Amino acid sequence: MNSNVNIALSGFIRANNGLRLIQDRNCIVRHTRSGSSATTGVKLISGGGSGHEPAHIGYVGRGMLHGAVCGDVFAAPSATAILDCLRTVATDPGGDSVLFVVNNYTGDRLNFGLAMERARSLYGYCRVRMLLNDDDCSIEDSMVARSVGKRGLAGSVLLIKVLGAMAELGFSLDELYEYGDGLLRKGHMATFGFTFEMTDGDKLRNVELGKGLHGEPGVYKMDECDGFESIVWFMMERMVKKVPEFAEVVVLVNNLGGTSEIVVGVFLDVLTKLLETRYRIRRIYCGTYFSSLSQVGLSVTLLNLAYNEQLLVYLDHEVQVASKLFGSGQSFHLEPSDRVKFDTIVEVETRPNPDLFKIKLQESSTSLVNNTLHHIAQVLQTSRDLLNAFDRECGDGDTGNTIANGATALLAALATASIDLLHPAKMLQDISTILQLSIGGTSGAIYSLFFQAASKAFQTSTTNRVTAVTLNHWLTALAAGNDAIVQYALTELGDRTMLDPLRQGEFRLRTAVQQGLPAMDCVEIFAAACGEAAKDTQHMRPRSGRATYSASAGDGSVDYRFPDPGAHAVSIWARSLFEAFTIFFNK
């Protein structure tokens, strides 16, 4: 299935010749001519895993998106693809503004976040923001809602429609972001989805209420029910907590891909009759807006028109996109020679960001850095089986493999002198890229974000001269990396993740630096703090990531046989850092 994504995109643009396919990145972008009015204003980019068509490729065009990035089926697109999509639609780093509209799933959040950080740091895009759509109202558990986040569902289509109109009307990046964020945070949009199977007659079976778009479990299951009435009542009880009763609303009914039109009609009859007891329906959109392959199911979105009197104006704004669900009703018309446009990303030699080289190590320190990275990577390789064993307790048992893959790639880069060991900012960015490509998945994205954000500590200098590195630089880098994990992974201290040792190490290191202790003592204190905090995760309840769903209920204290594998990996490389320093200075 995944190998067919690029072929499917190729077929899509052959039928929609006003679009371009960036073939080696699976990106669909507008086909605009240089200097046209369509190239001005804020650029909107969205995307996610394939399998949700017409989202998001069907919404690329005038009045909506400038680009959509497609991952494999139900898998987030890579940060590299997202960044190259941005560079394609926004060619002026100093002048163009870009808004990422991202559905709140871990992989999408991390990879779009990483692309945004790299756009700022590597290419100088200073006006890039990311808006997270989390319109799912089915999740009420406060722990899950905070640590995993409420999911992004079909409400994102209305969000893109509104923001696309505003972008074309000339609103600024900050105005678009604040408008969209207010719509979501102030509870003016709510979506509830469910799946089911049809039986003979009007009965439904295997009903899953609050089901996610990628097969994530629902919040409530019914083996069987008579028709849709009980489902709609359940749904409205959740929705009314976000969108108040008697509000004037726009309703979007979304087919998840496999529901027959007859069944949709039956559902609409029940839905509208019951909704009218609590809301004033101003408009109904109905169709396949955001599918889940061929899943039999539906979702309902309520948009509260009380948020802003211009909402209907923005929804009525004319668009020219492949999807006809908003009544665009137009075909693209280009010159015959322009009918099909395939592109590939051509790497253009760019001038390195001079900020990467403002702060440098002493020439004599490069051997220490090289030996330290070698030692850390080798120790992590030998820890593969231990970390896998730790991960089997509440995961899929591959943490050791993924960490070892990163270590192997790091050693290969050192062997070919592919890492800048003299300039810390460039070195950390090199490591960020290596770990993203070699570790992969959520862990790779988090480590990549950590090192990418940490590099910013070495990109600011109060003078135009090259500045020497101090312990304060490394402390600032550690804090910046930790802050990035909090921002993009939605995790906090005490959640039983890799952040626990990193944050405790940061706190203890800051105290040691403020006390003016020698560098070796500071490194030893940091390593010890990471080790203690990692060990403490053995008695913590998971509050972030997949383990949250399977965590035992209780007062927050849970005993596991092993500490969190990600946290333990941090303690291993922190201890190896101190060991490498000790070996080097005791030679």
Side-chain angles (χ1 to χ4, degrees):
M1 179 74 74
N2 291 349
S3 62
N4 288 332
V5 170
N6 187 263
I7 299 173
L9 293 176
S10 174
F12 175 78
I13 69 159
R14 290 181 184 276
N16 297 281
N17 59 340
L19 302 172
R20 298 161 54 200
L21 168 63
I22 311 300
Q23 285 187 300
D24 47 351
R25 295 293 186 266
N26 282 356
C27 301
I28 297 291
V29 298
R30 297 186 193 183
H31 188 184
T32 55
R33 292 177 172 80
S34 177
S36 69
S37 59
T39 64
T40 61
V42 180
K43 310 298 191 296
L44 265 63
I45 296 174
S46 190
S50 296
H52 300 301
E53 292 72 23
H56 297 83
I57 57 176
Y59 307 122
V60 176
R62 184 168 60 82
M64 293 189 77
L65 296 174
H66 290 74
V69 197
C70 305
D72 287 335
V73 173
F74 292 176
S78 71
T80 300
I82 297 165
L83 181 57
D84 285 340
C85 182
L86 181 152
R87 294 175 63 200
T88 300
V89 304
T91 56
D92 180 8
D96 283 337
S97 297
V98 179
L99 179 64
F100 289 157
V101 182
V102 182
N103 287 307
N104 190 34
Y105 294 96
T106 301
D108 297 304
R109 193 173 63 240
L110 293 174
N111 287 343
F112 273 92
L114 179 56
M116 182 168 65
E117 294 289 340
R118 287 185 175 164
R120 292 169 174 167
S121 179
L122 295 178
Y123 301 106
Y125 286 91
C126 54
R127 290 194 284 273
V128 184
R129 301 191 71 172
M130 180 168 72
L131 178 65
L132 285 177
N133 172 53
D134 57 354
D135 56 316
D136 183 5
C137 68
S138 70
I139 298 176
E140 292 186 323
D141 184 286
S142 59
M143 184 185 75
V144 175
R146 179 191 65 76
S147 59
V148 179
K150 295 184 178 182
R151 299 170 292 211
L153 300 175
S156 64
V157 180
L158 293 176
L159 190 63
I160 290 168
K161 179 68 178 71
V162 168
L163 296 178
M166 293 178 67
E168 192 162 275
L169 292 171
F171 285 86
S172 70
L173 173 63
D174 289 342
E175 287 172 326
L176 263 65
Y177 179 87
E178 296 300 332
Y179 192 96
D181 189 62
L183 183 66
L184 294 164
R185 305 299 155 245
K186 295 176 182 177
H188 291 287
M189 186 164 69
T191 300
F192 189 98
F194 64 97
T195 59
F196 58 92
E197 296 175 11
M198 296 296 301
T199 65
D200 294 335
D202 295 330
K203 288 186 178 296
L204 310 177
R205 66 183 180 190
N206 295 332
V207 178
E208 199 158 351
L209 303 174
K211 186 76 172 286
L213 287 168
H214 311 97
E216 300 93 341
V219 297
Y220 187 75
K221 295 181 180 180
M222 294 188 292
D223 292 333
E224 191 174 83
C225 67
D226 294 322
F228 290 107
E229 185 169 325
S230 59
I231 296 173
V232 174
W233 279 120
F234 186 99
M235 176 184 68
M236 287 198 302
E237 289 302 318
R238 296 296 174 101
M239 287 184 151
V240 78
K241 295 176 182 179
K242 288 194 70 174
V243 180
E245 284 187 298
F246 310 118
E248 192 174 32
V249 296
V250 167
V251 182
L252 184 143
V253 177
N254 174 56
N255 188 337
L256 295 184
T259 311
S260 74
E261 289 299 312
I262 291 178
V263 174
V264 172
V266 172
F267 173 73
L268 277 170
D269 183 66
V270 176
L271 175 72
T272 53
K273 288 176 180 176
L274 295 182
L275 272 183
E276 285 171 347
T277 66
R278 290 195 173 186
Y279 295 102
R280 290 180 293 156
I281 300 174
R282 183 70 179 272
R283 178 179 299 176
I284 297 177
Y285 295 104
C286 184
T288 303
Y289 289 87
F290 201 122
S291 69
S292 179
L293 290 176
S294 57
Q295 177 72 61
V296 177
L298 297 159
S299 70
V300 177
T301 302
L302 296 186
L303 176 63
N304 186 359
L305 294 176
Y307 176 62
N308 185 275
E309 61 184 9
Q310 293 296 305
L311 268 175
L312 283 179
V313 174
Y314 300 145
L315 288 173
D316 288 337
H317 189 82
E318 185 179 353
V319 299
Q320 187 176 17
V321 296
S323 171
K324 303 301 187 289
L325 292 168
F326 286 103
S328 56
Q330 298 184 48
S331 298
F332 294 111
H333 298 289
L334 298 175
E335 296 299 322
S337 60
D338 291 335
R339 287 192 60 81
V340 179
K341 183 69 174 178
F342 296 91
D343 285 331
T344 57
I345 289 292
V346 178
E347 289 298 333
V348 180
E349 184 176 353
T350 57
R351 187 176 183 181
N353 184 350
D355 289 344
L356 297 175
F357 307 100
K358 283 186 175 180
I359 298 175
K360 67 182 294 187
L361 296 165
Q362 296 178 356
E363 298 283 349
S364 58
S365 297
T366 56
S367 59
L368 169 61
V369 175
N370 185 72
N371 291 350
T372 299
L373 293 176
H374 261 284
H375 183 70
I376 290 173
Q378 289 170 345
V379 172
L380 287 173
Q381 283 183 321
T382 62
S383 303
R384 178 197 299 263
D385 292 341
L386 177 67
L387 291 173
N388 281 342
F390 284 11
D391 191 34
R392 288 190 196 101
E393 187 171 20
C394 56
D396 46 16
D398 66 347
T399 293
N401 294 338
T402 57
I403 294 296
N405 290 342
T408 300
L410 186 61
L411 288 172
L414 289 169
T416 57
S418 302
I419 301 176
D420 187 331
L421 301 179
L422 191 60
H423 301 94
K426 185 64 167 61
M427 175 181 69
L428 292 171
Q429 289 193 0
D430 291 342
I431 293 174
S432 171
T433 301
I434 291 166
L435 297 184
Q436 177 211 345
L437 297 175
S438 58
I439 294 180
T442 299
S443 297
I446 291 176
Y447 265 112
S448 188
L449 272 164
F450 174 80
F451 284 104
Q452 181 68 41
S455 72
K456 292 186 289 189
F458 300 95
Q459 295 183 50
T460 55
S461 177
T462 56
T463 69
N464 291 325
R465 294 177 298 176
V466 174
T467 304
V469 177
T470 67
L471 269 175
N472 271 310
H473 283 117
W474 292 109
L475 174 60
T476 303
L478 176 60
N482 289 341
D483 289 345
I485 293 177
V486 171
Q487 178 181 356
Y488 295 111
L490 297 185
T491 188
E492 296 178 3
L493 187 64
D495 282 354
R496 197 177 192 263
T497 69
M498 63 182 287
L499 182 68
D500 291 303
L502 285 171
R503 199 60 115 180
Q504 292 291 359
E506 174 197 336
F507 294 157
R508 296 276 290 277
L509 178 60
R510 176 171 286 106
T511 299
V513 171
Q514 291 172 344
Q515 292 174 346
L517 298 181
M520 278 294 293
D521 289 351
C522 290
V523 175
E524 183 176 14
I525 288 169
F526 167 73
C530 289
E532 293 168 10
K535 186 176 181 180
D536 289 343
T537 62
Q538 184 175 348
H539 310 293
M540 290 181 180
R541 182 185 181 190
R543 295 183 181 274
S544 185
R546 288 176 300 175
T548 304
Y549 291 111
S550 57
S552 301
D555 61 0
S557 297
V558 164
D559 281 335
Y560 289 91
R561 291 177 57 207
F562 306 115
D564 176 74
H568 191 68
V570 171
S571 74
I572 290 174
W573 63 253
R575 184 179 68 246
S576 301
L577 172 69
F578 175 63
E579 290 172 352
F581 273 48
T582 302
I583 294 169
F584 185 86
F585 288 111
N586 287 340
K587 286 192 297 185

